Amino acid sequence: MMTNINAIKTQLEAIISPEVFDFETDEDFAQSYREQRKSFLLNRMKLQAQLMLIIGLTLTAFFIWVNEGIPAKIHALRIGILLESFILICWFLCKNPLARRYSQIIFLSLSWSATCAIQVDTAILFNYLEPMTNIWNLMFITQATIIPVQWRLHLISHVGTMVCYLGLYAVYRPKFQLPLAHYIEEGLYLFWTGTICVFSVYLYEKLKKKEFRAKRELEIAQEQSERLLLNILPAVIAKQLKHQPTTIADNFHAVTVLFADIVGFTELSSQTSPSELVELLNQIFCLFDELAEIHSIEKIKTIGDAYMAVAGLPDYRSDHALAIANMALDMQKSVLKFNQKNNLSFQIRMGISTGPVVAGVIGLKKFAYDLWGDTVNTASRMESHGIPDNIQICEATYQILKDKYLVEKRGLIKIKGKGEMMTYLLHGRKI
């Protein structure tokens, strides 16, 4: 029995105070929700003001028609004009830039224009103080339906209506025309209506908070997925792949490819724990990634302790060889600083080649942007047949860099699969 009571209590607590995932403690989400709620409130108040203007016109015309005698018709017209003017002011205020700051005041003004204003007007003009519970209930239900946000405002508008009427009653001390049972019944119905309206708005607002947070979390997840995709693929290729999930292959007639390899890394792996080895490699490659970002160069991939990058694609740039040369020289400096900081003696061997390539994405799973062609093979051979702590370049790259960089002729060397090739060593920039 006690277990059933606790279960029922837990269910009631979940309904009355549903979990909102610590929404109030997350200032970013809370601020975003407040801004969204203000926009929703203002748009709905504009709609309500327009509806109230239309209803006010029809009711004014109706009362002018049903009332007999000129004085009564004039009184009805006065009340109608006063009410419509009040609603019209609220409507214009909703369009004012200050409305976002004072939206709660406009909300209460709209509410009380249909409840308190009419009650005050009829009391002053006709000395008529019968409680207009039908109009009050209609207003409460309409607002809870059209503007179901900020349940505290709804509660204030309801209480304000009651306080206004009690104030008028204290001033005029009217005699009620109907039996007491009628007023008790109307009061209970009004209390039930107001309670249901406020409670429904409260639950609606809790639900909207959950929905808003879920939407924001989905948007953040999509943004993170987008960033992750952009870390794997160039932005142009990622966009193309999303709209065209097929094989992507493009020809580029002039790019410069860089291969870099850490000398002695294989031997080091037998002397160092795998976790420490990976951490060292990650630190070095992160330095290279930062340089690639600085020089606007596209990192292609890492293979073990080898690093591959290219300049001139997917967006063409005329200075692709210069960009790669600058990055290669900065990579040498970064490894030197890394060694000094960590008391290590890593050496880096690099190879550069310039020419045409084919670049694209192939396969169905684990997409990767890659390069193919003789230029890629030559850059790889320049690195593998190079000298530690040196940057070896091919003839095509040399012809572009020779006027602006310090280049030493190494001479002909035998390259596997390509025969003898003229190679050069890049040492620095010319002053």
Side-chain angles (χ1 to χ4, degrees), residues 262-361:
I262 299 176
V263 181
F265 192 80
T266 304
E267 291 77 7
L268 182 64
S269 63
S270 61
Q271 307 170 8
T272 310
S273 67
S275 59
E276 292 176 352
L277 195 68
V278 171
E279 178 60 28
L280 288 173
L281 190 62
N282 178 64
Q283 292 180 32
I284 295 174
F285 282 175
C286 284
L287 294 175
F288 294 170
D289 288 345
E290 291 175 359
L291 292 175
E293 188 75 21
I294 291 171
H295 293 286
S296 299
I297 287 173
E298 195 67 46
K299 172 188 174 182
I300 299 302
K301 60 184 175 182
T302 58
I303 307 171
D305 61 337
Y307 189 93
M308 179 183 178
V310 62
L313 60 78
D315 297 321
Y316 175 75
R317 54 185 297 182
S318 59
D319 63 340
H320 50 86
L322 281 67
I324 285 290
N326 292 335
M327 178 173 172
L329 293 169
D330 288 344
M331 287 168 70
Q332 284 184 328
K333 295 177 183 178
S334 66
V335 171
L336 180 61
K337 291 180 180 178
F338 180 80
N339 286 335
Q340 294 173 349
K341 181 179 179 180
N342 297 279
N343 194 25
L344 296 171
S345 57
F346 281 122
Q347 290 179 302
I348 185 171
R349 184 177 59 231
M350 286 181 277
I352 298 175
S353 176
T354 300
V357 297
V358 176
V361 179

Side-chain angles (χ1 to χ4, degrees), residues 402-417:
K402 62 182 180 180
D403 295 330
K404 297 182 179 180
Y405 291 82
L406 300 173
V407 182
E408 175 190 352
K409 184 177 181 180
R410 185 184 182 192
L412 292 171
I413 63 172
K414 191 174 181 179
I415 301 296
K416 181 180 178 181

Side-chain angles (χ1 to χ4, degrees), residues 169-183:
Y169 181 83
V171 173
Y172 286 91
R173 299 284 183 175
K175 292 183 178 180
F176 293 121
Q177 302 175 4
L178 299 173
L180 180 61
H182 169 78
Y183 297 105

Side-chain angles (χ1 to χ4, degrees), residues 63 90 96 134 159 185 244 253 267 286 298 315 323 422 431:
F63 285 122
C90 292
N96 192 284
N134 290 335
V159 173
E185 181 181 349
Q244 179 189 346
H253 299 292
E267 291 77 7
C286 284
E298 195 67 46
D315 297 321
M422 182 62 69
I431 300 176

